[in-house]
Amino acid sequence: MQNIEQQIQELDETQVDFVLVLNTEGFVAHSSQNWRVYCQSRQLPTALWKDGGNYFKCLEEMKKFNVVQSMKDILMGNEKEVIQLSLFYDPKTIEYLSVKYQSFSLDNNSKGIILYKQQVTNVSSLSCLKAEVVLENMAEAFFLLDNQMRFHFLNSESEKILQRKKQELIGRSIWSCFPKAVGTKFYSTYIRAMQDRVPLQFEEYYAPLDTRFSVKVTPVSDGGLAVYYQKVHKEETLEAKLLKVPSTDYLTGWLTRVKFEESIEQILQKELPFSLIYINLDNFKHINTLYNHKTGDQVIKKIVEKVENLLSPQDLAGRLDGDELILLHLHQPKEEIEEFPQKIRNIFPNSMVLENAKSITVNASIGVSSYPQDSYGAEELIAYAETAMRKAKEQNGSSYSHFHSGMGIDLARRFLIEESLAGNLQEIGYHFVLQPQINCATGDLTGVEVLSRWNHPTLGPISPIEFIGIAEETGTISRLTNHLLEEVFTFINEEKKHSNSFPKTAINVTSSLLTSQTFFHDLFLMMEKNQIPADQIELEITESVELTGSELTLTNLMTCRSKGISIALDDFGTGFSMLAYLVDYPIDKIKLDKSFISKIGQDARSEAVLKSLIQFVKGIDCQLLAEGVETPAEALFLQENGCPIHQGYLHDKPLSPEAFSKKYLNIS
């Protein structure tokens, strides 16, 4: 009979990536070289690979009791072979191993177990058969979400824990299936993982199931999320708080969310008056997009240094998320409640010089809540400070806002909007209207702009500025835009059945989508599926300093241009980067902002600037359109100065699809 080394050598020559042999008691009898290298490079426990290591005990310490039981079943002859998916984690990555267990005869004729391990780099790319076998037999609860947050796959363990059959869930949004999760850490963490494409892990209690969960979520390459989770038993929760949860943030040295909340509870017991200052860095994700995450980390560190100079020894500082910081400031004798938030706000208008001598200006939105004025509870005080922060976001530049009772209504409104955005968009009144673009010299229809509208069944009409902003923040903007595109493309095809042609159709794309390859991939697929020719579509982007220099944006827009989709620059002249846009980006059309048009006949200097802009655009061979045209005088001035294509209430308001067809396509 061959010895272990010979058998292992033969196994190593197969296509299996890693091989491990255990004896009857679950100790490592032998392991392949590449498995040892894999474990050592990831600093996994030595018991998982070193000869004589107690593999069973190590897995039990990792709470993988079901995995150990499966292997013991093989030793007892109850099972011949088991295929499972194992997961290993470190702070930065989540990796999957497909593992097959089989019985194995050792030199002394006793029975051991051989483990064949293969790395799975993309769970969603497993073949249908392998996915069915591997994921279904996975010992832990696991599910996959697609890029619209819809269930794509659930294994049996997941069905047991969620107490729902997979047939009820697959194809449906996780938020419509579990609406009580909206507004919790499940919601915010899944959204962040989806939007930032980073792996995350957390613990959270879910009231409807009366269960606390330990959750690990990671993006997969098709744009969705892989979610692994397990119940946290009560005795484990205390252990997690004492041993597993880090007390300080790795980058700032400030308290983590859990430790910060615990510290608030301790101060509340002392009944000391204080304020919470909730800081959100405006458009921080664009710094990471335009530069890199190292630059983003430098910015955070610089801000932390400036803030720490203002803190007293009794104050607390925490980092809630990547771009969200929180402070607890104990009120000092004779100190006005406005003083400390004002000092924090004053940090931000100033430029910060980083290690590479790069200068960056970062604005912040700051919310303030106070004890005992606003609440006696830690969770409410944090929620109120966050609500006030969102109110501050409505102002330009760095600003702060104090919570007041009326904001509670705003908070409830926001939660309802967030929940609705994750539901059935057609049933909740989300729709589109069309505003024509007219050549005032000939009266011809030259194009049409699609505008999204929402008449909510509970809240009534909601401003696009409000719901699009919330969709951007929560990561549902892709879902919202894709739904709109499907509706518009369906409408175009219906109208083409009755009319020979349909005008060029302009659709707005928000800044976050411009950097998303998944969004553009979906757009091209939808156009192909609906047989929409590329020259039918025009994408409108808004002039914004945040996007200048973005390689992802440039790549996506160049791909659109290569396919024949045209690009229009909206609100031209209102930002800081119009020349950079025109130099760097493939712009076909420029839309003059309404703020210029409204000053025609009112301000000679503004008219002179407008004339220069028109001549400038004509000189670079771009099409030109004036938006917000409302009076005959404005139309005449624009036409006489070389801009005859207009959009605005003078010609027509935004119309329902039916009204537009009847008026402009002669379809009744």
Side-chain angles (χ1 to χ4, degrees):
M1 181 178 290
Q2 293 175 312
N3 61 27
I4 289 290
E5 286 79 3
Q6 289 173 322
Q7 294 177 68
I8 288 291
Q9 184 176 356
E10 289 183 6
L11 290 167
D12 284 348
E13 291 172 357
T14 70
Q15 297 301 310
V16 178
D17 289 341
F18 309 124
V19 179
L20 182 67
V21 179
L22 307 179
N23 66 16
T24 311
E25 288 75 35
F27 288 85
V28 176
H30 210 100
S31 59
S32 61
Q33 174 65 22
N34 50 4
W35 173 242
R36 294 195 292 271
V37 171
Y38 176 88
C39 292
Q40 291 171 11
S41 66
R42 287 154 178 79
Q43 298 181 330
L44 296 176
T46 56
L48 294 177
W49 57 270
K50 196 170 185 179
D51 288 359
N54 193 333
Y55 194 88
F56 283 3
K57 182 180 178 181
C58 185
L59 289 186
E60 287 170 348
E61 290 174 352
M62 297 166 70
K63 312 301 181 187
K64 295 183 178 292
F65 302 110
N66 292 344
V67 178
V68 175
Q69 187 57 53
S70 296
M71 289 189 280
K72 287 182 177 179
D73 287 342
I74 289 178
L75 286 171
M76 296 171 63
N78 297 333
E79 295 281 353
K80 292 183 178 178
E81 179 179 289
V82 175
I83 299 176
Q84 293 177 326
L85 192 69
S86 291
L87 298 92
F88 290 100
Y89 301 88
D90 67 34
K92 296 181 180 178
T93 62
I94 300 178
E95 295 185 322
Y96 302 86
L97 291 174
S98 171
V99 186
K100 181 168 69 173
Y101 311 109
Q102 285 182 323
S103 60
F104 189 76
S105 296
L106 299 172
D107 288 347
N108 57 5
N109 292 323
S110 63
K111 184 179 289 188
I113 301 173
I114 185 166
L115 288 73
Y116 302 89
K117 298 171 179 275
Q118 289 182 298
Q119 269 187 284
V120 179
T121 56
N122 179 6
V123 175
S124 64
S125 69
L126 291 169
S127 68
C128 295
L129 179 60
K130 191 172 183 182
E132 185 68 23
V133 173
V134 174
L135 297 176
E136 192 59 46
N137 286 281
M138 182 176 167
E140 296 88 357
F142 176 85
F143 59 79
L144 285 170
L145 300 175
D146 67 14
N147 60 6
Q148 303 298 319
M149 289 286 189
R150 296 174 300 213
F151 283 104
H152 181 68
F153 175 87
L154 299 92
N155 67 356
S156 298
E157 191 66 24
S158 207
E159 287 183 297
K160 294 175 189 175
I161 291 180
L162 297 180
Q163 301 174 20
R164 302 279 287 274
K165 292 291 184 183
K166 64 177 67 175
Q167 293 86 344
E168 300 175 40
L169 302 177
I170 290 177
R172 296 179 59 197
S173 163
I174 185 173
W175 311 125
S176 63
C177 296
F178 299 96
K180 296 293 184 183
V182 175
T184 68
K185 196 180 291 185
F186 293 100
Y187 187 83
S188 59
T189 308
Y190 286 20
I191 293 297
R192 184 189 164 203
M194 179 74 81
Q195 191 168 351
D196 295 349
R197 312 308 296 164
V198 293
L200 300 169
Q201 56 188 82
F202 65 98
E203 275 192 17
E204 179 71 313
Y205 175 77
Y206 186 61
L209 294 176
D210 190 25
T211 304
R212 187 171 185 84
F213 291 102
S214 173
V215 185
K216 295 163 179 106
V217 54
T218 183
V220 292
S221 63
D222 65 356
L225 297 176
V227 181
Y228 155 78
Y229 62 103
Q230 58 188 4
K231 292 182 178 181
V232 177
H233 301 294
K234 291 182 179 178
E235 62 269 22
E236 289 182 81
T237 305
L238 178 60
E239 181 187 359
K241 287 184 177 179
L242 295 176
L243 300 175
K244 296 180 181 178
V245 178
S247 59
T248 56
D249 172 61
Y250 75 95
L251 179 65
T252 63
W254 287 6
L255 296 174
T256 59
R257 177 187 285 270
V258 172
K259 294 298 179 182
F260 190 87
E261 290 175 356
E262 290 176 1
S263 301
I264 295 177
E265 295 288 357
Q266 294 170 8
I267 291 177
L268 286 170
Q269 292 174 13
K270 299 176 183 178
E271 299 185 353
L272 299 172
F274 63 84
S275 288
L276 289 184
I277 293 86
Y278 195 116
I279 305 169
N280 177 265
L281 306 181
D282 296 340
N283 299 315
F284 183 71
K285 63 183 179 182
H286 293 301
I287 292 177
N288 289 329
T289 300
L290 296 179
Y291 303 103
N292 51 53
H293 286 276
K294 184 179 178 181
T295 300
D297 287 349
Q298 288 182 42
V299 169
I300 294 285
K301 287 180 178 179
K302 282 287 183 182
I303 291 170
V304 165
E305 288 175 12
K306 292 174 180 288
V307 170
E308 286 179 342
N309 291 332
L310 302 176
L311 298 177
S312 67
Q314 295 78 29
D315 291 342
L316 299 175
R319 188 183 185 200
L320 301 179
D321 209 337
D323 60 351
E324 293 186 339
L325 311 172
I326 191 165
L327 310 172
L328 186 153
H329 174 66
L330 291 171
H331 294 166
Q332 303 298 313
K334 299 182 180 180
E335 180 187 37
E336 294 291 333
I337 201 168
E338 302 281 342
E339 288 183 28
F340 187 75
Q342 180 68 46
K343 290 178 182 177
I344 297 297
R345 190 199 72 83
N346 289 341
I347 288 173
F348 290 95
N350 303 313
S351 296
M352 287 175 283
V353 179
L354 306 181
E355 293 174 4
N356 55 4
K358 188 180 295 178
S359 179
I360 293 180
T361 301
V362 179
N363 286 315
S365 299
I366 303 166
V368 184
S369 65
S370 299
Y371 165 83
Q373 294 95 320
D374 297 324
S375 175
Y376 294 96
E379 288 188 10
E380 278 193 338
L381 285 166
I382 293 175
Y384 290 165
E386 183 179 6
T387 301
M389 177 274 291
R390 297 193 184 284
K391 192 68 177 176
K393 274 191 176 295
E394 297 175 8
Q395 306 173 48
N396 293 325
S398 295
S399 58
Y400 71 91
S401 176
H402 280 267
F403 177 82
H404 58 76
S405 57
M407 288 183 184
I409 299 173
D410 295 339
L411 183 60
R413 176 185 177 88
R414 180 183 174 88
F415 280 156
L416 180 55
I417 291 174
E418 287 185 11
E419 184 177 351
S420 299
L421 283 169
N424 188 314
L425 295 172
Q426 196 148 8
E427 291 179 359
I428 58 172
Y430 179 70
H431 62 285
F432 69 90
V433 293
L434 302 162
Q435 188 167 29
Q437 298 169 344
I438 305 294
N439 185 328
C440 69
T442 63
D444 294 337
L445 176 71
T446 63
V448 61
E449 181 180 4
V450 175
L451 302 167
S452 57
R453 295 289 185 265
W454 192 359
N455 189 11
H456 193 278
T458 302
L459 301 175
I462 306 175
S463 162
I465 294 175
E466 181 180 13
F467 70 74
I468 289 174
I470 293 174
E472 285 257 77
E473 291 175 25
T474 58
T476 52
I477 188 65
S478 177
R479 179 173 186 266
L480 197 69
T481 307
N482 285 346
H483 174 82
L484 179 74
L485 289 168
E486 286 283 9
E487 294 286 305
V488 171
F489 292 166
T490 300
F491 171 72
I492 290 174
N493 281 331
E494 283 298 316
E495 300 313 294
K496 282 184 175 179
K497 293 177 183 178
H498 311 289
S499 178
N500 292 330
S501 62
F502 194 92
K504 174 162 280 197
T505 306
I507 299 168
N508 290 277
V509 179
T510 61
S511 58
S512 64
L513 294 180
L514 291 177
T515 58
S516 170
Q517 290 181 315
T518 301
F519 167 74
F520 283 94
H521 175 73
D522 291 344
L523 169 64
F524 303 146
L525 283 180
M526 274 189 278
M527 290 178 64
E528 184 178 347
K529 182 186 77 173
N530 289 280
Q531 297 183 327
I532 302 294
D535 60 5
Q536 174 85 64
I537 301 301
E538 181 173 86
L539 297 184
E540 283 196 11
I541 63 176
T542 299
E543 184 181 349
S544 166
V545 69
E546 299 154 4
L547 296 175
T548 305
S550 168
E551 290 297 327
L552 281 173
T553 298
L554 180 59
T555 298
N556 289 332
L557 294 183
M558 290 301 290
T559 302
C560 287
R561 166 67 75 80
S562 69
K563 291 180 178 292
I565 299 171
S566 60
I567 310 297
L569 183 59
D570 199 9
D571 303 331
F572 183 72
T574 60
F576 300 98
S577 55
M578 59 182 181
L579 291 179
Y581 260 102
L582 296 176
V583 169
D584 297 334
Y585 289 92
I587 305 299
D588 301 290
K589 180 188 289 185
I590 286 174
K591 298 183 72 173
L592 296 172
D593 186 67
K594 183 181 185 300
S595 60
F596 289 102
I597 311 305
S598 62
K599 292 178 181 177
I600 293 173
Q602 309 293 325
D603 181 63
R605 189 171 184 176
S606 296
E607 287 183 354
V609 171
L610 183 55
K611 288 179 182 179
S612 298
L613 278 177
I614 292 172
Q615 294 306 311
F616 169 72
V617 172
K618 292 175 70 175
I620 59 173
D621 198 27
C622 271
Q623 299 176 44
L624 189 61
L625 180 147
E627 54 186 349
V629 179
E630 297 184 353
T631 68
E634 292 170 354
L636 181 61
F637 177 91
L638 290 163
Q639 183 180 353
E640 289 177 344
N641 286 280
C643 179
I645 312 298
H646 304 163
Q647 180 180 336
Y649 273 65
L650 174 65
H651 301 287
D652 225 328
K653 64 181 181 180
L655 302 168
S656 69
E658 297 75 19
F660 176 81
S661 295
K662 187 175 182 179
K663 185 171 183 178
Y664 289 96
L665 304 179
N666 298 317
I667 299 173
S668 57

